[in-house]
Amino acid sequence: MKTHQRFSLLLILTASTILSGCQTLQNLDKGLYNVAESISETDRVTGQRTLSAADRSAQIRQGNAAVEQMLAGEKKAGRKINASLDRKQYQRLIRIFDRIHRVSHLSQERWQPILIDRDSFNAFTTGGTYIVVHSGLMKQLNDAEVAAVVGHEIAHTVANHVGERQTTQQLSALASSAARQKGFQAAYTHELEREADRIGVLYSALAGYDPYAATRIWQRQFKEQGNARSLFAHDHPVNAERAAETKVLASKVKQYYQPGRINPNAATLRDNNSLWQKRENRDQATAGEGGGVSAILSTALGAYVGHQQAKQEAVRQSQHAQFVQAVEKHMKLEQQKRASNTSWATRWRYSGNLALKGVVMGFLAQDSKGKTHRYVAHQPGVVRPGQRFDLTFVMKDGITMKQLEKMKARYYLDDALPAR
């Protein structure tokens, strides 16, 4: 047991002893318990207390209202949804969703998947009982990959990430300047995304879908989009890291995977498995007998740990972005020429004094409508100081070289790591 956990337990036991003999302190403890209940809830996955200012019924009302407002906008714009949009893809979505939902921690709730007309690769939940999926995503992914996305999105609601993020942002407004910074907020969301990946990969395995599907998604995304380390603060794990982390997760839960069928022990395994062990009845004492102190300490401890993790992630991202930006100054473009109507070849020289691996060069272009197009090229192996290397950029988004030449554009170093 960690030091802060032992200290919290000692305080709880001491408080319980004192409170049992004093009516005034018992009333105070009840008040503390009510405060804890108003700003937290018991995490469905871990059994620990997490920040949340809204109960589940309020979360459903707020989350569903947001989706229903969006659907009203779709109707007003004359855009079709669900089966009216694409019957085959909507039936496929329902079939995949149903299996994932049945193994989730919210299987008792009645949910509705929504298919909307967008070419983009996206899906989302708002904390209620809807999951919205873009038609472009359905067309790009196979069943196991769709299941990975659905599991990840349901996991956001299971872990109450919408409510947790809102409550944390409200408290951050009163807290330190560091907690209000954009980098910190992105890092905080980044850690929630990692948690949703953990839960979602387990759901895939329990529902009978290949748990390695998520890894394949992010491997492709890395190949096509790179990591964009130096462009902005990341509120999601970068593609290469996400592929690696989901692969580790999949290796731990593959033992629960029964292809094409729900694991008969899914209800037990979703609480106790190789990724986590749920702690039931975390607040052992009742309100008035130390339960208030216990609840407050548990909530505060959870918030503190989450805050520290986000701070560490923000620092890590900032340091890596600074490293990439420093290395970028030593990348010199020596040649570039058209290779085909949709590709061009480049030659680079690296003048830095540190050997690199995982080098990815990027190219940003902006068309007349303000839309940004991003292309990357990967350099395999190690790049040594003074080395020249050749990269070919390929466009797969329908843009031609003739169109690209009219756009405002620049190269950038997408990612690089020290070669040790």
Side-chain angles (χ1 to χ4, degrees):
M1 183 180 289
K2 295 181 179 179
T3 301
H4 64 262
Q5 291 174 324
R6 289 197 298 268
F7 181 67
S8 297
L9 180 59
L10 178 61
L11 285 176
I12 292 168
L13 292 175
T14 303
S16 299
T17 302
I18 296 173
L19 291 169
S20 62
C22 179
Q23 184 63 46
T24 300
L25 291 181
Q26 287 177 359
N27 291 336
L28 175 61
D29 188 67
K30 290 178 181 178
L32 290 174
Y33 187 86
N34 290 334
V35 170
E37 286 288 282
S38 69
I39 62 170
S40 71
E41 72 169 20
T42 301
D43 189 286
R44 299 174 186 86
V45 177
T46 65
Q48 299 175 340
R49 281 188 176 269
T50 59
L51 287 174
S52 178
D55 61 21
R56 183 63 188 140
S57 60
Q59 293 164 10
I60 292 173
R61 287 195 303 273
Q62 294 167 7
N64 286 358
V67 174
E68 287 160 6
Q69 183 178 11
M70 183 225 33
L71 293 178
E74 295 294 290
K75 183 178 180 180
K76 185 176 181 180
R79 287 190 287 263
K80 296 179 180 179
I81 66 169
N82 298 341
S84 297
L85 171 62
D86 190 323
R87 179 174 295 278
K88 183 177 180 180
Q89 290 289 11
Y90 186 57
Q91 289 176 342
R92 176 177 170 237
L93 173 60
I94 290 176
R95 172 171 49 83
I96 295 168
F97 166 82
D98 182 61
R99 270 176 41 193
I100 294 292
H101 181 243
R102 284 166 61 190
V103 303
S104 78
H105 292 78
L106 291 174
S107 58
Q108 77 283 0
E109 293 183 355
R110 186 173 181 178
W111 278 50
Q112 182 181 354
I114 303 291
L115 181 67
I116 63 172
D117 189 9
R118 298 289 190 282
D119 291 332
S120 49
F121 181 91
N122 195 26
F124 63 90
T125 57
T126 56
T129 55
Y130 288 111
I131 176 171
V132 181
V133 180
H134 290 198
S135 57
L137 181 142
M138 294 297 297
K139 295 173 183 176
Q140 293 179 51
L141 304 183
N142 62 33
D143 284 7
E145 291 165 349
V146 172
V149 173
V150 169
H152 174 91
E153 295 303 330
I154 293 177
H156 274 308
T157 298
V158 163
N160 188 30
H161 286 164
V162 174
E164 190 174 338
R165 188 185 300 111
Q166 290 175 345
T167 305
T168 300
Q169 288 174 342
Q170 291 167 1
L171 294 177
S172 293
L174 305 174
S176 65
S177 59
R180 295 193 296 269
Q181 292 176 0
K182 186 176 180 180
F184 173 87
Q185 294 299 334
Y188 184 85
T189 301
H190 176 283
E191 295 305 285
L192 300 185
E193 292 293 333
R194 292 183 68 209
E195 183 179 29
D197 277 344
R198 281 164 52 86
I199 301 168
V201 168
L202 176 71
Y203 284 172
S204 283
L206 295 180
Y209 290 105
D210 182 1
Y212 288 96
T215 300
R216 292 193 292 272
I217 292 173
W218 304 118
Q219 286 173 337
R220 286 199 306 270
Q221 293 292 95
F222 174 58
K223 183 177 180 180
E224 296 173 5
Q225 299 179 358
N227 286 328
R229 291 273 196 191
S230 61
L231 294 182
F232 43 78
H234 291 275
D235 56 11
H236 286 62
V238 297
N239 293 322
E241 291 178 350
R242 203 166 191 181
E245 289 185 6
T246 53
K247 185 176 182 179
V248 172
L249 294 172
S251 69
K252 292 181 178 180
V253 302
K254 65 181 181 181
Q255 60 187 302
Y256 312 131
Y257 170 47
Q258 298 184 14
R261 63 187 292 259
I262 291 177
N263 188 305
N265 297 316
T268 299
L269 289 169
R270 68 187 173 203
D271 288 334
N272 297 286
N273 52 73
S274 57
L275 300 180
W276 63 76
Q277 301 292 310
K278 185 173 183 179
R279 299 186 66 176
E280 299 290 352
N281 300 320
R282 190 166 178 79
D283 300 330
Q284 296 293 333
T286 59
E289 298 179 358
V293 173
S294 173
I296 286 291
L297 286 175
S298 178
T299 303
L301 180 61
Y304 173 78
V305 171
H307 182 85
Q308 291 302 112
Q309 289 174 339
K311 282 180 62 176
Q312 292 170 8
E313 175 58 25
V315 170
R316 187 185 76 91
Q317 287 192 26
S318 177
Q319 290 176 341
H320 201 140
Q322 290 173 20
F323 171 78
V324 172
Q325 291 165 354
V327 170
E328 184 178 44
K329 297 176 182 178
H330 298 284
M331 293 293 182
K332 182 181 179 180
L333 177 66
E334 294 189 336
Q335 295 179 22
Q336 64 176 354
K337 61 181 180 180
R338 181 182 296 198
S340 71
N341 193 40
T342 57
S343 66
W344 73 100
T346 61
R347 171 161 290 182
W348 299 82
R349 182 177 183 276
Y350 170 55
S351 61
N353 56 14
L354 182 68
L356 305 172
K357 65 179 181 179
V359 172
V360 184
M361 294 303 302
F363 185 82
L364 278 175
Q366 189 176 63
D367 61 27
S368 59
K369 296 180 180 180
K371 182 178 180 180
T372 298
H373 304 265
R374 184 156 61 95
Y375 311 102
V376 298
H378 299 254
Q379 170 62 17
V382 175
V383 175
R384 305 288 180 185
Q387 179 179 335
R388 289 180 170 83
F389 57 96
D390 298 325
L391 295 174
T392 298
F393 291 82
V394 180
M395 296 177 289
K396 298 180 180 179
D397 56 358
I399 301 296
T400 65
M401 285 298 299
K402 186 175 181 180
Q403 293 172 315
L404 190 67
E405 288 166 356
K406 297 178 181 179
M407 298 181 193
K408 183 179 180 180
R410 71 176 178 89
Y411 289 100
Y412 66 98
L413 179 61
D414 181 273
D415 203 2
L417 293 164
R420 294 186 175 87

